[in-house]
């Protein structure tokens, strides 16, 4: 696979620099111009891609060089930009921040290197003037090939911008694409973007359109597009993917309670021959008909605990299906749903599916979070003992029964722990999996579904 795809990466010196707001505004401006846009988020993030897709309307995916090797990363990028005219990627954390905070591995910078992405550094300017040049100079020179080709100055007055822009271009030899003034009425919390309800989308669209109009005034969008078009050709070999002899129907939970799903995971299962059937544990009374397997994604079951508990028919249907041996992958929120009881966000405990005889409860901190390497302790749904996968954890809720089907280890440092309740038919635990890190694990799941289908 080989293609010249116009592409750009928006990065920043640190989290909280305004890159999510500016990325959303630029995406909306490009969509408003009638362009077919693909958007990407670096790192293990469900929320921003979901927001891009549901509100802005772009095709949105993740880019993560911890989850996938260089060829697979390039392949997924090219695959997900088919029929698109421009690709915009948003970085994660600070540009050079990678594993353990002491390496560029897994960083936004590494993504820029793997995909040869022209990078625009979004520089926060509040409380500074000439020192901004020193910040930019440091980022340009920290790595020999920084990939940084332009900057956007954020939270700066038009007067200071007019004074600094020519200095940046003359002294540092880098393009200045414009600036963003302080936008007191157009901010939104990026961590809340996943909590968008259908009735809120129109209001957010109106806000984003006003943001896009503002950025059209202060950022040279034409020059940004021109920079994206300077991208070179990108190539990747198509990975060899095993395929089923026939087709299987797999039910996938999909609603406001279960919305954290890597779309690349689902498309991998489809490439292997699975037919995916969405259903809602919140609203539906029964599982879809003629299914051979079940996927319960992560999400916000704690925010919908009362409604989930009130849907007794669905709780019973899922419990009966799993007790009868239907293969199931249940990640994080899906794992919580399988418990006997779940503590809701309101502090009350609610009956859940009851597949696992344990309670899940709220804690006051992130107990385990970030990237992990997983290794199967024994034969199970995703493969034989020794099967490895990559994933991440991020949860404030805890369980009385975390399991020991897999052993998790942080890629940097000494921290490790047992996790996942599982056997030949079940994977249920806090780790979110990226199946492209080991496609054979996805195929093992589907083969087990095929065996259930024959029972």
């Amino acid at each position: 696979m080989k293609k010249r795809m116009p592409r750009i990466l928006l990065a920043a010196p640190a989290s909280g620099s305004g890159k999510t707001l500016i990325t959303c505004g630029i995406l909306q401006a490009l969509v408003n111009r009638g362009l077919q846009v693909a958007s990407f988020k670096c790192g293990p993030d469900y929320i921003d891609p979901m927001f891009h897709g549901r509100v802005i309307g772009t095709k949105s995916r993740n880019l993560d060089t911890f989850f996938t090797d260089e060829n697979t990363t390039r392949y997924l990028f090219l695959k997900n930009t088919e029929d698109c005219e421009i690709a915009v990627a948003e970085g994660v954390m600070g540009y050079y921040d990678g594993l353990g905070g002491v390496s560029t591995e897994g960083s936004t910078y590494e993504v820029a290197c793997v995909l040869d992405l022209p990078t625009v550094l979004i520089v926060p300017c509040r409380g500074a003037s000439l020192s901004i040049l020193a910040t930019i100079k440091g980022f340009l020179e920290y790595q020999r090939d920084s990939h940084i080709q332009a900057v956007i100055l954020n939270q700066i007055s038009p007067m200071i911008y007019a004074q600094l822009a020519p200095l940046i271009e003359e002294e540092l030899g880098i393009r200045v694409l414009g600036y963003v003034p302080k936008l007191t009425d157009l901010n939104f919390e990026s961590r809340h973007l996943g909590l968008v309800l259908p009735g809120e989308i129109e209001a957010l669209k109106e806000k984003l359109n006003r943001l896009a109009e503002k950025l059209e005034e202060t950022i040279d969008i034409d020059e940004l597009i021109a920079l994206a078009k300077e991208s070179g050709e990108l190539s990747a070999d198509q990975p060899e993917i095993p395929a089923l002899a026939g087709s299987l129907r797999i039910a996938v939970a999909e609603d406001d309670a279960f919305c954290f799903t890597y779309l690349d995971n689902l498309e991998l299962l489809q490439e292997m021959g699975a037919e995916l059937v969405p259903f809602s544990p919140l609203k539906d009374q029964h599982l879809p008909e003629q299914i051979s397997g079940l996927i319960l994604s992560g999400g916000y079951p704690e925010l919908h605990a009362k409604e989930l508990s009130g849907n007794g028919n669905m709780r019973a249907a899922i419990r009966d299906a799993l007790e009868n041996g239907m293969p199931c992958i249940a990640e994080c929120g899906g794992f919580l749903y399988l418990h006997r009881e779940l503590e809701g966000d309101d502090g009350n405990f609610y009956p859940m599916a009851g597949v696992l005889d344990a309670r899940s409860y709220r804690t006051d901190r992130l107990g385990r979070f970030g990237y992990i390497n997983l290794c199967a302790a024994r034969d199970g749904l995703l493969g034989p003992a020794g099967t490895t996968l990559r994933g991440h954890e991020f949860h404030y809720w805890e369980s009385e029964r975390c399991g020991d089907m897999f052993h998790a280890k942080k890629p940097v440092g000494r921290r490790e722990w047992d996790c996942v309740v599982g056997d030949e038919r079940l994977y249920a635990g806090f780790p979110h999996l990226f199946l492209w890190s080991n496609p054979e694990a996805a195929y093992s799941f589907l083969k087990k579904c095929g065996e259930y289908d024959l029972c």
Side-chain angles (χ1 to χ4, degrees):
M1 182 182 291
K2 186 179 294 186
K3 185 167 55 174
R4 183 182 293 276
M5 166 54 59
R7 55 194 185 273
I8 202 86
L9 171 65
L10 301 174
S15 296
S17 298
K19 63 180 178 289
T20 294
L21 180 73
I22 293 171
T23 298
C24 288
I26 288 173
L27 287 173
Q28 189 66 62
L30 295 173
V31 168
N32 291 350
R33 287 180 174 217
L35 294 172
Q36 294 295 316
V37 183
S39 64
F40 294 88
K41 174 68 179 183
C42 298
D45 189 311
Y46 295 102
I47 294 177
D48 288 347
M50 181 166 52
F51 184 78
H52 295 166
R54 293 178 66 179
V55 181
I56 301 173
T58 61
K59 181 179 181 180
S60 191
R61 298 291 189 273
N62 293 79
L63 295 170
D64 199 306
T65 52
F66 173 75
F67 288 155
T68 52
D69 60 32
E70 291 188 10
N71 181 74
T72 303
T73 303
R74 288 193 294 268
Y75 168 75
L76 291 174
F77 176 83
L78 292 172
K79 175 177 174 287
N80 286 317
T81 55
E82 290 177 351
D83 303 322
C84 292
E85 297 171 273
I86 187 171
V88 178
E90 179 193 348
V92 61
M93 299 177 64
Y95 185 51
Y96 292 114
D97 298 335
L99 298 182
V102 295
S103 166
T104 60
E105 184 182 352
S107 67
T108 300
Y109 166 70
E110 187 176 61
V111 174
C113 293
V114 169
L115 296 174
D116 191 20
L117 286 165
T119 299
V120 178
L121 189 69
I122 296 169
V123 185
C125 301
R126 186 176 179 182
S129 56
L130 195 61
S131 297
I132 294 164
L133 275 73
T135 297
I136 298 170
K137 183 179 175 66
F139 274 84
L140 289 172
E141 296 181 357
Y142 180 68
Q143 295 289 335
R144 183 173 297 177
D145 183 8
S146 72
H147 289 272
I148 299 171
Q149 298 187 27
V151 296
I152 292 172
L153 306 186
N154 188 29
Q155 289 198 322
I156 191 169
S157 71
M159 182 180 68
I160 303 256
Y161 171 76
Q163 296 170 337
L164 290 183
L167 290 177
I168 293 170
E169 293 187 334
E170 291 167 12
E171 295 187 22
L172 303 180
I174 191 169
R175 282 178 270 193
V176 181
L177 298 183
Y179 73 99
V180 181
K182 187 174 182 180
L183 301 172
T184 56
D185 62 330
L186 292 176
N187 286 305
F188 43 76
E189 293 295 328
S190 63
R191 292 305 88 194
H192 294 161
L193 300 186
L195 296 172
V196 176
L197 298 175
E200 298 175 300
I201 289 178
E202 288 306 315
L204 282 166
K205 284 183 176 179
E206 189 275 332
K207 196 174 188 179
L208 280 166
N209 278 313
R210 287 193 289 121
L211 174 61
E213 290 174 5
K214 185 64 179 179
L215 296 191
E216 286 276 13
E217 296 172 3
T218 64
I219 294 176
D220 191 339
I221 303 294
D222 290 327
E223 184 67 13
L224 184 142
I225 294 171
L227 178 58
K229 289 181 177 179
E230 294 175 12
S231 306
E233 190 173 68
L234 202 61
S235 62
D237 297 325
Q238 182 169 350
E240 292 187 10
I241 302 300
L244 300 168
S247 180
L248 294 169
R249 284 167 56 88
I250 307 296
V252 180
E254 188 177 294
D255 56 26
D256 288 338
F258 303 98
C259 51
F260 287 177
T261 305
Y262 286 123
L263 296 181
D264 283 325
N265 280 355
L266 300 184
E267 290 178 3
L268 175 60
L269 295 173
Q270 289 174 317
E271 287 183 34
M272 291 178 172
E275 177 189 351
L276 304 182
V277 186
F279 78 102
S280 170
L282 278 171
K283 304 296 183 183
D284 296 337
Q285 295 296 304
H286 307 285
L287 286 168
E289 295 182 355
Q290 298 181 326
I291 58 171
S292 304
L294 180 63
I295 295 176
L296 295 170
S297 308
Y300 301 107
E302 68 278 5
L303 299 183
H304 304 273
K306 185 176 182 179
E307 191 174 358
L308 287 169
S309 184
N311 190 351
N313 288 339
M314 179 58 74
R315 290 192 291 115
I318 289 176
R319 182 175 61 253
D320 290 346
L322 269 60
E323 288 179 350
N324 287 330
M326 179 179 288
C328 173
I329 295 176
E331 297 179 339
C332 202
F335 170 53
L336 298 182
Y337 179 72
L338 294 184
H339 281 64
R340 182 182 71 253
E341 287 185 309
L342 165 65
E343 183 180 2
D345 195 51
D346 60 5
N348 295 316
F349 280 87
Y350 294 93
M352 289 291 125
V355 176
L356 306 177
D357 187 18
R359 271 184 157 197
S360 56
Y361 54 92
R362 184 175 188 166
T363 67
D364 58 358
R365 62 188 178 90
L366 284 169
R368 299 180 299 280
F369 68 97
Y371 290 126
I372 50 174
N373 290 304
L374 290 161
C375 183
R378 52 188 179 274
D379 296 351
L381 177 62
L382 302 183
T387 294
T388 59
L389 283 150
R390 291 192 167 190
H392 66 99
E393 289 195 23
F394 189 97
H395 51 92
Y396 285 90
W397 263 245
E398 192 51 271
S399 169
E400 293 176 341
R401 185 185 174 192
C402 288
D404 60 1
M405 183 73 196
F406 279 83
H407 188 71
K409 187 173 183 179
K410 299 288 290 182
V412 176
R414 299 180 180 179
R415 194 172 185 199
E416 52 189 283
W417 59 90
D418 292 329
C419 58
V420 181
V421 178
D423 53 30
E424 294 282 344
R425 298 290 177 175
L426 178 65
Y427 170 98
F430 282 116
H432 297 276
L433 304 174
F434 197 77
L435 295 178
W436 278 97
S437 68
N438 184 354
E440 287 293 337
Y443 188 55
S444 176
F445 166 64
L446 293 182
K447 286 192 295 184
K448 293 293 196 306
C449 293
E451 294 170 5
Y452 173 80
D453 206 34
L454 296 174
C455 294

